[in-house]
Amino acid sequence: MSEPAQERPSPERVVFIDDEADVCRANRQSLELDGFIVETFGAAGPALAAIMADPPGLVVTDVRLPDLDGVALFARLRGLDPDLPVILITGHGDIRMAVGAMRDGAYDFLAKPYPAEALMASARRALERRRLVLENRALRARLDAAVEEDPAFLGISPEMVRLRSLVREVANADVDVLVFGETGSGKEVVASALHRWSRRARRNFVAMNCGALPDSVVESELFGHEAGAFTGALKRRVGRIEHAQGGTLFLDEIESMPLNLQVKLLRVLQERSVEPLGTNEVRAIDMRVVAATKVDLGQAAAQGTFRDDLYHRLNVITIPIPPLRDRREDVMLLFQEFLRRAAARFGREVPPITPDVRDHLRRHDWPGNVRELGHFAERHALGLGRAETAPPEAAAAGTLAEQVDRFERGLIREELFMAGGDVRLAAESLGTPRKTLYDKIARHGLAPTDYR
């Protein structure tokens, strides 16, 4: 709908139109007693102008109006916003007309005389649908904005905003970077972005998972070798380091690299040169190294499982990736995009997000992070449902108080996101007094302005 006057339509506001002042007064009183905000009009023209200036959540209109009948008004409103619910009030002679309007998308019709409760019930259902429509629109708008900025960094939480900003700042600094994050949190996504946003973007981005190769081949893969360097080396092989010349070398799970190779990697980082196996030739290398780990390398160095000097050489700049459980307002956004992509890949219609799935998205701690969420979206696209979700024991550890506290914080953040930072709307959605919510917001160190 064209919304020149405000960005957020009022989902709880009702516009009631009838040319009889007593009817307007009685229905307004009934609706207001049920908790709605009501504006009444005696004709279609002034109502239409008000609706265009400030879109409501629901329009209730008599079919018989002095300037424009209710069905024609509905057609005008449908042209502005096909999802705006409209309830038609009809006399017995207008029922056929109202039924035709419902086939065209009108939400409901009430035949005169109707009990007040019938109007209240229909209004409540219509406004609930309107609220969901606006919620989905807001998600879609934020999703489109995030995808436009960079599809690799979907998310509108403060944590993701800061992460994108940090990666952009570091990208052109041309220093080695250590990326720290849990399994499935997107470490390679960050490494790839550091490459794409840097002056090295036209050269190779070379990725190597240090934990995916046997120790016996890691050295050859990384440093390369000449023909005859060892048994089975029938021809020269360019190693990953040399292949990254002018570009970026990404070393994932670097904590898995054998200690003897850590010494050689340290020399490469210090000298910016490489000496392949089977030759004494030293070749100059111009590259950036991005190393990723899911463990605390400082602690690993203290325990002797990782070289302390290599840790300090890599730890020039560290980029931490927040786990998904700490940015719950991104979960629905990510899920919708993953679901859309999965449905397109499988050649299926995008399935609806059921209350059961929505509840799982809200409550689950996502120990597998974005990767787990993506797999869940694929299962949902295939119709496998909740049967394939992670077991309860996969949730993050902690005391009962810690888990409750983490869940409460995530729920409040999600509602603040959905309300655009409006604490009043968030409090209404959560069913809690505004002062109580303000106290909890302060206790959890949240700022409503971060969600506007």
Side-chain angles (χ1 to χ4, degrees), residues 194-222:
L194 286 168
H195 176 73
R196 286 184 290 108
W197 295 343
S198 75
R199 65 174 180 83
R200 300 179 178 276
R202 295 182 180 275
R203 305 303 293 270
N204 292 332
F205 175 76
V206 181
M208 175 176 167
N209 188 317
C210 301
L213 296 173
D215 292 355
S216 58
V217 302
V218 171
E219 183 173 12
S220 174
E221 281 290 322
L222 192 58

Coordinates of all heavy atoms in Angstrom, one line a residue, residues 194-222:
L194 N 36.3 -11.0 3.3 CA 37.6 -10.2 3.4 C 38.4 -10.2 2.1 O 39.0 -9.2 1.8 CB 38.5 -10.9 4.5 CG 38.0 -10.7 5.9 CD1 38.8 -11.6 6.9 CD2 38.3 -9.2 6.4
H195 N 38.3 -11.3 1.4 CA 39.0 -11.3 0.1 C 38.2 -10.5 -1.0 O 38.8 -9.7 -1.7 CB 39.0 -12.8 -0.4 CG 39.6 -12.9 -1.8 ND1 41.0 -12.8 -2.1 CD2 39.0 -13.2 -3.0 CE1 41.2 -13.0 -3.4 NE2 40.0 -13.2 -3.9
R196 N 36.9 -10.6 -1.1 CA 36.1 -9.9 -2.1 C 36.2 -8.4 -1.9 O 36.1 -7.7 -2.9 CB 34.7 -10.5 -2.1 CG 34.5 -11.8 -2.7 CD 33.1 -12.3 -2.8 NE 32.5 -12.5 -1.5 CZ 31.7 -11.7 -0.9 NH1 31.2 -10.6 -1.4 NH2 31.2 -12.1 0.3
W197 N 36.2 -8.0 -0.7 CA 36.2 -6.6 -0.4 C 37.6 -5.9 -0.3 O 37.8 -4.8 0.0 CB 35.5 -6.3 0.9 CG 34.0 -6.7 0.8 CD1 33.3 -6.9 -0.3 CD2 33.1 -6.9 1.9 NE1 32.0 -7.2 0.0 CE2 31.8 -7.2 1.4 CE3 33.3 -6.8 3.3 CZ2 30.7 -7.5 2.2 CZ3 32.1 -7.1 4.1 CH2 30.9 -7.4 3.5
S198 N 38.6 -6.7 -0.7 CA 40.0 -6.2 -0.6 C 40.6 -5.9 -2.0 O 39.9 -6.2 -3.0 CB 40.9 -7.2 0.1 OG 41.2 -8.3 -0.8
R199 N 41.7 -5.4 -2.0 CA 42.4 -5.1 -3.3 C 42.9 -6.4 -4.0 O 43.3 -6.4 -5.2 CB 43.6 -4.2 -3.1 CG 44.7 -4.8 -2.3 CD 46.0 -3.9 -2.2 NE 47.1 -4.5 -1.4 CZ 47.9 -5.4 -1.9 NH1 47.8 -5.8 -3.2 NH2 48.9 -5.9 -1.1
R200 N 42.8 -7.5 -3.3 CA 43.2 -8.8 -3.8 C 42.1 -9.6 -4.5 O 42.2 -10.7 -4.9 CB 43.8 -9.7 -2.7 CG 45.0 -9.1 -2.0 CD 45.5 -10.0 -0.8 NE 46.7 -9.4 -0.2 CZ 47.9 -9.6 -0.7 NH1 48.1 -10.3 -1.7 NH2 48.9 -9.0 0.0
A201 N 40.9 -8.9 -4.6 CA 39.7 -9.6 -5.1 C 39.9 -10.2 -6.5 O 39.2 -11.2 -6.8 CB 38.5 -8.7 -5.1
R202 N 40.7 -9.7 -7.3 CA 40.9 -10.2 -8.7 C 41.8 -11.4 -8.7 O 41.9 -12.1 -9.8 CB 41.5 -9.1 -9.6 CG 40.5 -7.9 -9.8 CD 41.1 -6.9 -10.7 NE 40.2 -5.8 -10.9 CZ 39.2 -5.7 -11.8 NH1 39.0 -6.8 -12.6 NH2 38.5 -4.7 -11.9
R203 N 42.5 -11.7 -7.6 CA 43.3 -12.9 -7.6 C 42.7 -14.1 -6.9 O 41.5 -14.0 -6.5 CB 44.7 -12.5 -7.0 CG 45.4 -11.4 -7.6 CD 45.6 -11.6 -9.1 NE 46.6 -12.6 -9.4 CZ 47.9 -12.5 -9.5 NH1 48.4 -11.2 -9.3 NH2 48.7 -13.5 -9.7
N204 N 43.4 -15.2 -6.7 CA 42.8 -16.4 -6.1 C 42.4 -16.3 -4.7 O 43.2 -15.7 -3.9 CB 43.7 -17.6 -6.3 CG 43.9 -17.9 -7.8 OD1 43.0 -17.7 -8.6 ND2 45.0 -18.5 -8.1
F205 N 41.3 -16.9 -4.3 CA 40.9 -17.2 -2.9 C 41.1 -18.7 -2.8 O 40.3 -19.5 -3.4 CB 39.5 -16.8 -2.6 CG 39.0 -17.2 -1.3 CD1 39.4 -16.4 -0.2 CD2 38.1 -18.2 -1.1 CE1 39.0 -16.8 1.1 CE2 37.7 -18.6 0.2 CZ 38.1 -17.9 1.3
V206 N 42.1 -19.1 -2.0 CA 42.5 -20.5 -1.9 C 42.1 -21.0 -0.5 O 42.7 -20.5 0.5 CB 44.0 -20.7 -2.2 CG1 44.3 -22.2 -2.1 CG2 44.3 -20.1 -3.6
A207 N 41.2 -21.9 -0.4 CA 40.8 -22.5 0.9 C 41.3 -23.8 1.1 O 41.4 -24.7 0.2 CB 39.3 -22.5 0.9
M208 N 41.7 -24.1 2.4 CA 42.2 -25.4 2.8 C 41.7 -25.7 4.2 O 41.9 -24.9 5.1 CB 43.7 -25.4 2.7 CG 44.3 -26.7 3.2 SD 46.1 -26.8 3.0 CE 46.6 -28.2 4.0
N209 N 41.1 -26.8 4.4 CA 40.7 -27.3 5.7 C 41.8 -28.2 6.3 O 42.0 -29.3 5.8 CB 39.4 -28.1 5.6 CG 38.8 -28.3 7.0 OD1 39.5 -28.7 7.9 ND2 37.5 -28.2 7.1
C210 N 42.5 -27.6 7.3 CA 43.6 -28.3 7.9 C 43.2 -29.6 8.6 O 44.0 -30.5 8.8 CB 44.3 -27.4 8.9 SG 44.9 -25.9 8.1
G211 N 41.9 -29.7 9.0 CA 41.5 -30.9 9.7 C 40.9 -32.0 8.8 O 40.6 -33.1 9.2
A212 N 40.8 -31.7 7.5 CA 40.2 -32.6 6.6 C 41.2 -33.5 5.8 O 40.7 -34.4 5.1 CB 39.3 -31.9 5.5
L213 N 42.5 -33.2 6.0 CA 43.5 -34.0 5.2 C 44.4 -34.8 6.2 O 44.6 -34.3 7.3 CB 44.4 -33.0 4.4 CG 43.7 -32.2 3.3 CD1 44.6 -31.2 2.7 CD2 43.2 -33.2 2.2
P214 N 44.8 -35.9 5.8 CA 45.7 -36.7 6.6 C 47.1 -35.9 6.8 O 47.5 -35.2 5.9 CB 46.0 -38.0 5.8 CG 44.9 -38.1 4.9 CD 44.5 -36.7 4.6
D215 N 47.7 -36.1 8.0 CA 48.9 -35.4 8.2 C 50.0 -35.6 7.1 O 50.8 -34.7 6.8 CB 49.5 -35.8 9.6 CG 48.7 -35.3 10.7 OD1 47.7 -34.6 10.5 OD2 49.0 -35.7 11.9
S216 N 49.9 -36.8 6.5 CA 51.0 -37.2 5.5 C 50.9 -36.3 4.3 O 51.9 -36.3 3.5 CB 50.8 -38.7 5.2 OG 49.5 -38.9 4.7
V217 N 49.7 -35.7 4.0 CA 49.6 -35.0 2.7 C 49.4 -33.5 2.9 O 49.5 -32.7 2.0 CB 48.4 -35.5 1.9 CG1 48.6 -37.0 1.5 CG2 47.1 -35.3 2.6
V218 N 49.3 -33.1 4.2 CA 49.0 -31.7 4.5 C 50.2 -30.8 4.0 O 50.1 -29.8 3.3 CB 48.8 -31.4 6.0 CG1 48.8 -29.9 6.3 CG2 47.5 -32.0 6.4
E219 N 51.5 -31.3 4.3 CA 52.6 -30.5 3.9 C 52.7 -30.3 2.4 O 53.0 -29.2 1.9 CB 53.9 -31.2 4.4 CG 55.2 -30.4 4.2 CD 56.4 -31.0 4.8 OE1 56.3 -32.1 5.3 OE2 57.4 -30.3 4.9
S220 N 52.5 -31.4 1.6 CA 52.6 -31.3 0.2 C 51.5 -30.4 -0.3 O 51.7 -29.6 -1.3 CB 52.5 -32.7 -0.4 OG 52.4 -32.6 -1.8
E221 N 50.3 -30.5 0.2 CA 49.2 -29.7 -0.2 C 49.5 -28.2 0.0 O 49.1 -27.3 -0.8 CB 47.9 -30.1 0.5 CG 47.2 -31.3 0.0 CD 46.6 -31.1 -1.4 OE1 46.0 -30.0 -1.7 OE2 46.6 -32.0 -2.3
L222 N 50.1 -27.9 1.1 CA 50.3 -26.5 1.5 C 51.5 -25.9 0.9 O 51.4 -24.8 0.3 CB 50.4 -26.5 3.1 CG 50.3 -25.1 3.7 CD1 49.0 -24.4 3.4 CD2 50.5 -25.2 5.3

